[in-house]
Amino acid sequence: MAGHFFIEVVIFNMIHYLPRIGIIRAPGLSYQSCIRVKKNDINIKKAIKQHQIYADTLSGLGIDLIRLRPMEGFPDSCFVEDTVVVIEEKAIICRLKYASRRGEEDEIAGAISGYKEVFRVKKPATLEGGDILDASDKIYVGRSSRANDYGIGQLRKIIDKKKEVITVDIGGALHLKSVCTIIDEKTILIREGLGCKKLFKGYRFIEVPYEEKYAANSLAVMGRIIIPKGYPITKERIKRMGYEVIELDISEFEKGDGGLTCLSILF
Ligand code: CIR
């Protein structure tokens, strides 16, 4: 009986890294005009191809994918992660910071309502999924340029004490997950030199050197760690810790300030 209980707890704690379902949306032609800091040229054909390989990789790892059609009216809508936070049986639909992104979440809410109970973050709150790191018993939320205190407060209320919510100030980064991602129940991949590291009590860290900072956003799925291609030091450090690494070229999404986690909602 006690053994049974132990196995259930372990499986429950690992559930984030063993998702069954994924929601993705391929970029449309309008992705060219997505929000981004550097107005570098995005190769749309290449972006679509890279997205296809990303999708095939997730499917190959056993994820059942819900593939939503590109939304030309929403240039950033391939970054589905920002539209919803899934915590256990709740799907919390976010209110995105930029008006040009508001509306991306509607179809996602419909898609996820068949699986989860849907809640909504409401005005004047802003909250984006890229700021939420779901650990086993805690939720870390980035207080970023995209998530305000109303958003964090509403999230806390919806979670209703099921998990402790810890706010993390992340300085100038886009989202919390731009600087760190959880890769299993005890390990965090984190950009080196971050003051917020001390908030992650009980974790071990794999540090990402500053010159490879983009790789701090990596994606753990079914025991594999998917990392962006072209970050050899990070790759080596993850491998040295015993993980199997899959590299994906997502150069066209890096240009759009998005990373590997941003391209899917996994639960
Ligand atoms: C934006 O600035 O909103 C998009 N171009 C990138 C969003 C990336 N999303 C994420 O990190 N979760």
Side-chain angles (χ1 to χ4, degrees):
M1 198 60 188
H4 232 120
F5 177 70
F6 175 74
I7 290 165
E8 273 173 24
V9 169
V10 170
I11 290 175
F12 178 75
N13 282 338
M14 290 186 64
I15 216 88
H16 313 299
Y17 323 106
L18 301 172
R20 286 185 309 111
I21 297 167
I23 302 178
I24 59 167
R25 185 193 297 286
L29 300 178
S30 65
Y31 176 54
Q32 188 66 254
S33 31
C34 70
I35 303 161
R36 59 193 188 275
V37 178
K38 292 191 201 134
K39 289 286 169 218
N40 41 19
D41 239 14
I42 291 175
N43 180 332
I44 292 294
K45 236 176 122 181
K46 202 166 163 190
I48 293 170
K49 184 80 199 141
Q50 289 176 348
H51 193 272
Q52 180 67 52
I53 295 171
Y54 176 87
D56 292 347
T57 305
L58 293 182
S59 295
L61 290 171
I63 306 287
D64 266 342
L65 281 185
I66 300 170
R67 297 170 192 247
L68 302 177
R69 279 210 306 251
M71 287 175 105
E72 291 299 348
F74 295 89
D76 287 279
S77 55
C78 56
F79 298 120
V80 288
E81 173 185 56
D82 292 326
T83 62
V84 62
V85 181
V86 180
I87 294 172
E88 296 177 6
E89 292 316 307
K90 296 180 179 177
I92 303 159
I93 305 298
C94 294
R95 182 165 182 270
L96 290 98
K97 165 83 179 253
Y98 282 93
S100 69
R101 297 201 62 184
R102 290 196 192 133
E104 287 178 24
E105 69 280 12
D106 292 337
E107 198 186 358
I108 305 274
I112 213 161
S113 64
Y115 303 90
K116 304 283 175 186
E117 188 181 356
V118 171
F119 297 81
R120 275 180 190 269
V121 167
K122 299 195 178 96
K123 208 174 165 179
T126 60
L127 189 72
E128 300 191 355
D131 269 316
I132 284 91
L133 213 50
D134 185 7
S136 337
D137 58 342
K138 296 185 180 70
I139 306 282
Y140 294 93
V141 190
R143 186 190 277 119
S144 68
S145 62
R146 302 292 180 93
N148 64 18
D149 284 332
Y150 297 106
I152 298 170
Q154 289 185 24
L155 175 76
R156 189 173 267 125
K157 220 166 157 191
I158 294 167
I159 292 171
D160 192 22
K161 300 196 183 98
K162 276 206 158 164
K163 293 187 182 210
E164 185 187 356
V165 176
I166 299 176
T167 305
V168 186
D169 285 309
I170 54 162
L174 173 56
H175 288 124
L176 176 61
K177 282 197 215 170
S178 319
V179 295
C180 60
T181 36
I182 293 186
I183 61 173
D184 68 20
E185 68 278 13
K186 55 181 186 301
T187 313
I188 293 188
L189 186 65
I190 189 163
R191 182 195 296 182
E192 70 182 3
L194 284 184
C196 65
K197 194 173 162 185
K198 59 182 181 301
L199 295 173
F200 300 106
K201 291 202 176 72
Y203 282 92
R204 64 178 185 175
F205 298 98
I206 301 177
E207 295 221 330
V208 175
Y210 191 79
E211 66 276 18
E212 294 198 358
K213 61 185 196 291
Y214 180 65
N217 184 280
S218 290
L219 182 61
V221 182
M222 306 296 187
R224 312 317 194 283
I225 313 300
I226 308 176
I227 69 166
K229 192 162 183 245
Y231 298 94
I233 302 171
T234 308
K235 178 182 175 187
E236 204 38 52
R237 288 184 184 174
I238 298 174
K239 281 177 79 174
R240 218 184 302 137
M241 296 291 264
Y243 298 96
E244 189 180 320
V245 171
I246 299 173
E247 276 181 295
L248 289 185
D249 184 2
I250 53 161
S251 61
E252 302 317 296
F253 298 102
E254 181 172 6
K255 290 178 187 170
D257 296 342
L260 284 159
T261 67
C262 318
L263 294 172
S264 56
I265 301 157
L266 302 178
F267 54 94

